Amino acid sequence: MIEIAIDGTAASGKGTLARKLAEKYNFIYLDTGLLYRKVANELIIKKKNISNDLEYHSSVIARNLNFLEIKKEDLRSEETAKLASLIATHPKLREILNLKQKEFVEENKKKFSGCILDGRDIGTKILPNANFKFFIDASIEVRAKRRLLEKNISFLHEKDEKCMLQFLIKQMNDRDKLDIKRSISPLVPADDAYVIDTTFIDADELFLKVTKIIDEI
Ligand code: DC
């Protein structure tokens, strides 16, 4: 099975890239951030997010996680993302979710000729022997603008838009810091990853760049 690992910062374009690659090559795709977001969301629903034993409660939820029940639409809020990043610093939770991700790859080996996983520690931890590793990043301003566009707010006064952008920049900066500085599986490019900056290129250009690398090899 061909393995493609895609890591990177929030709104860098890694998710769109992963989906397009999965479609082109007919590979199975897993957005691993959704697992952390789902656990965070369950904590909020069960009002365990204010508990002082977050690691225990998130581990219980993670053990019973059903991949098929995860719907991206319910998990988009910044509150969920922030908590996901916080609980992602807990070793026990990571251990459970890592195992689930590896099981997912194993289970799909017979059905698909390739798999694509995107997240923060795919190239370094989940698929250390991946055939291709990509690390995607972009400037914080550009990423915040992309996030704002994704939110699909039809009309915003110029002043409100600026305010919202500042809020998103702060949220994303805080989350990046937590993801990069945590001691366990921090967000870093694998030594053998292709590092691509998408500040000045759009999703189509990124897709072309990456498919060129894959198809050449
Ligand atoms: O990709 P995302 O923005 O949906 O991820 C939400 C958070 O989950 C992210 O800030 C850190 C955590 N995460 C992680 O630690 N490891 C992964 N492989 C994927 C996500």
Side-chain angles (χ1 to χ4, degrees):
M1 182 189 231
I2 293 172
E3 295 176 352
I4 302 180
I6 305 180
D7 290 300
T9 47
S12 57
K14 63 183 189 318
T16 307
L17 171 68
R19 267 191 306 278
K20 287 170 95 172
L21 290 175
E23 201 175 306
K24 176 177 164 78
Y25 298 112
N26 197 24
F27 288 177
I28 184 83
Y29 163 51
L30 179 66
D31 172 352
T32 66
L34 284 185
L35 309 182
Y36 290 88
R37 281 175 185 257
K38 178 70 182 173
V39 175
N41 195 246
E42 289 288 309
L43 284 169
I44 294 169
I45 291 170
K46 293 182 173 145
K47 299 199 176 9
K48 301 282 189 204
N49 50 325
I50 40 169
S51 145
N52 46 22
D53 202 353
L54 269 184
E55 184 160 23
Y56 167 75
H57 292 295
S58 50
S59 300
V60 172
I61 294 167
R63 273 200 200 94
N64 300 306
L65 207 63
N66 180 352
F67 282 26
L68 300 174
E69 281 172 8
I70 300 179
K71 289 199 188 77
K72 192 175 181 173
E73 307 79 62
D74 310 332
L75 307 172
R76 283 210 175 118
S77 80
E78 295 307 316
E79 186 193 10
T80 302
K82 195 174 164 188
L83 186 59
S85 178
L86 180 68
I87 58 174
T89 59
H90 296 152
K92 189 111 210 102
L93 175 69
R94 295 204 77 86
E95 199 184 303
I96 297 165
L97 292 184
N98 286 1
L99 199 67
K100 289 206 175 250
Q101 291 166 59
K102 286 177 183 164
E103 277 169 10
F104 173 87
V105 173
E106 271 311 307
E107 278 164 18
N108 281 292
K109 268 192 175 155
K110 285 200 187 108
K111 297 183 216 150
F112 292 88
S113 55
C115 70
I116 303 173
L117 269 64
D118 82 353
R120 301 293 189 287
D121 60 346
I122 309 302
T124 51
K125 192 90 187 176
I126 308 295
L127 301 174
N129 301 315
N131 305 72
F132 300 96
K133 296 181 187 177
F134 298 97
F135 188 93
I136 316 295
D137 199 4
S139 77
I140 186 82
E141 290 80 11
V142 165
R143 291 190 287 124
K145 274 191 189 142
R146 287 179 190 154
R147 237 331 98 85
L148 188 62
L149 279 175
E150 270 171 30
K151 292 194 181 292
N152 216 358
I153 304 169
S154 52
F155 177 76
L156 265 184
H157 193 278
E158 198 181 324
K159 226 167 106 191
D160 294 336
E161 186 176 313
K162 262 196 186 146
C163 201
M164 188 101 181
L165 267 177
Q166 286 311 314
F167 168 76
L168 284 172
I169 287 174
K170 162 125 189 32
Q171 292 272 321
M172 290 170 89
N173 244 332
D174 290 349
R175 196 144 69 91
D176 285 351
K177 266 193 211 147
L178 205 56
D179 292 345
I180 291 165
K181 290 194 173 156
R182 68 177 176 229
S183 56
I184 174 164
S185 303
L187 170 66
V188 281
D191 291 340
D192 49 350
Y194 294 91
V195 178
I196 304 176
D197 188 316
T198 64
T199 305
F200 302 108
I201 62 172
D202 66 14
D204 291 339
E205 286 168 284
L206 173 64
F207 180 64
L208 268 179
K209 238 182 206 295
V210 167
T211 47
K212 196 162 171 256
I213 293 171
I214 295 174
D215 293 342
E216 262 173 16
I217 295 172

